[in-house]
Amino acid sequence: RKKENMAFYEHVVIARQDISPQQAEALNEQIKTLIEEGGGHIAKIEYWGLRNLTYRIKKNRKGHYSLLAIDAPAPAVKEVERQLLINEDVLRFMTIRVEELDLELSPVLARRDRERSDRPERSDRPRDEFAAA
């Protein structure tokens, strides 16, 4: 059952390339805390890792991407956005209101998992005859 003032959002945040993955995860925790303090909750957090940017943003060629599925009142989301605007580790973020939350694995992570399962294990790979023994 959904409270009247709650809405669903998909939120993507891109953090600077020179922070650690742990710092990027900490940023996600900070967002989660703000949403929960505002009376909402996070249904899903996906950390996509360090990915190439299409174009440079503030001299960065890469960024730590995260996707969050949020169920929260609008003021809580506005507060998250306000905090992200003043956080110098954040390059970009985008929040989109959606009809329902997609709790499945996102295409980004699903593709990564598929690629990992398609790739043969190291021991299965043919040895290069010119490789040093």
Side-chain angles (χ1 to χ4, degrees), residues 31-121:
I31 293 169
K32 182 176 186 231
T33 303
L34 286 168
I35 290 292
E36 288 169 352
E37 285 172 356
H41 85 276
I42 304 280
K44 171 177 83 168
I45 298 179
E46 288 185 5
Y47 172 62
W48 293 349
L50 194 59
R51 302 175 58 84
N52 290 324
L53 299 172
T54 306
Y55 53 90
R56 280 189 189 187
I57 304 173
K58 298 179 188 167
K59 300 182 181 159
N60 288 267
R61 293 176 180 271
K62 295 179 176 219
H64 292 273
Y65 280 71
S66 295
L67 167 72
L68 294 89
I70 300 172
D71 178 8
V77 175
K78 287 277 179 246
E79 177 58 17
V80 165
E81 291 181 336
R82 188 187 73 75
Q83 296 268 349
L84 293 178
L85 280 170
I86 59 177
N87 185 332
E88 51 196 37
D89 289 339
V90 175
L91 296 175
R92 290 281 192 280
F93 63 85
M94 183 167 67
T95 311
I96 300 173
R97 188 168 173 173
V98 292
E99 287 300 311
E100 61 184 57
L101 294 177
D102 180 7
L103 300 178
E104 296 293 310
L105 206 57
S106 68
V108 172
L109 287 189
R111 182 172 57 243
R112 187 188 306 168
D113 285 355
R114 212 172 31 250
E115 285 170 359
R116 283 191 179 140
S117 64
D118 291 348
R119 198 178 297 148
E121 290 299 313

